[in-house]
Amino acid sequence: MGAEDRSNVVGAVIFLSNICSSISIIMINKQLMGSAGYAFNFATTLCGAHFLCTTVSSKITAWTFGTGANGANGEKKVLTIPIGDAILYTVFADLSIVGMNFSLMMNTVGFYQIAKLSIIPVICTIDYIWLFKRFNPKILASIGVVLMGVAISTVSDVGFNIPGIVVAGIAVFSTAMQQ
């Protein structure tokens, strides 16, 4: 298998793993935290379990497929980030994860899914306002198709309340800022 073929396989595995893990996490969270499930009220513990699983799967992926940036002579380079940026990223990442878990706990799965998919247009809006980035019509059309599909598929399962909307809003904004 050539380098390009290997890269395509790795990309496909990562893409499918992302879809499977996202769906699994949502289903498990709703079962654990939902009133129809186990009514597990310890969202922070659940976040810790997610972090542990993410760390283990990331280490397995790195070990299996290799990671790191190569320098001019093939040596591995250590990539660094300024401490202020790392702290800001961490704050938004923590708000994102805790907010999304609380949003799932306080809202229906349909509203939670709509909130998650609203992250994409929020990122585009932030990029447009702060970074002056312009998006071509094909990208905007594809985002519209995704949002319409979510709206159609979750229309019967959307229920919300004011505290749930506030938590979902914080989760969406912090996730968009993290991205």
Side-chain angles (χ1 to χ4, degrees):
M1 178 183 309
E4 187 175 333
D5 291 336
R6 185 170 188 254
S7 177
N8 289 339
V9 169
V10 169
V13 167
I14 291 170
F15 179 73
L16 292 173
S17 297
N18 186 21
I19 291 172
C20 292
S21 67
S22 295
I23 292 169
S24 299
I25 286 171
I26 292 167
M27 292 171 58
I28 291 168
N29 280 354
K30 199 60 183 176
Q31 185 65 32
L32 285 172
M33 297 171 76
S35 59
Y38 296 105
F40 185 77
N41 292 321
F42 305 101
T44 305
T45 303
L46 198 54
C47 286
H50 289 170
F51 284 136
L52 178 64
C53 291
T54 300
T55 301
V56 169
S57 64
S58 295
K59 292 293 184 185
I60 290 170
T61 302
W63 178 76
T64 304
F65 298 111
T67 60
N70 291 328
N73 299 326
E75 76 278 1
K76 295 285 183 185
K77 294 189 325 185
V78 177
L79 304 176
T80 60
I81 182 171
I83 190 70
D85 291 345
I87 290 171
L88 190 61
Y89 175 82
T90 303
V91 167
F92 281 123
D94 291 345
L95 275 174
S96 168
I97 293 166
V98 171
M100 282 298 174
N101 279 333
F102 275 108
S103 176
L104 183 60
M105 189 169 60
M106 297 172 77
N107 299 306
T108 64
V109 173
F111 186 80
Y112 172 78
Q113 291 288 37
I114 289 171
K116 279 194 71 128
L117 282 171
S118 69
I119 293 168
I120 298 166
V122 170
I123 291 171
C124 292
T125 303
I126 290 169
D127 285 351
Y128 178 80
I129 291 171
W130 286 335
L131 303 176
F132 307 108
K133 186 174 181 180
R134 302 290 184 255
F135 299 94
N136 68 43
K138 288 181 180 180
I139 291 175
L140 295 174
S142 66
I143 291 170
V145 168
V146 168
L147 293 176
M148 284 176 47
V150 171
I152 291 168
S153 66
T154 60
V155 71
S156 64
D157 187 32
V158 176
F160 53 87
N161 54 62
I162 299 300
I165 291 171
V166 170
V167 168
I170 292 169
V172 167
F173 181 74
S174 60
T175 303
M177 290 300 292
Q178 175 198 8
Q179 298 296 321

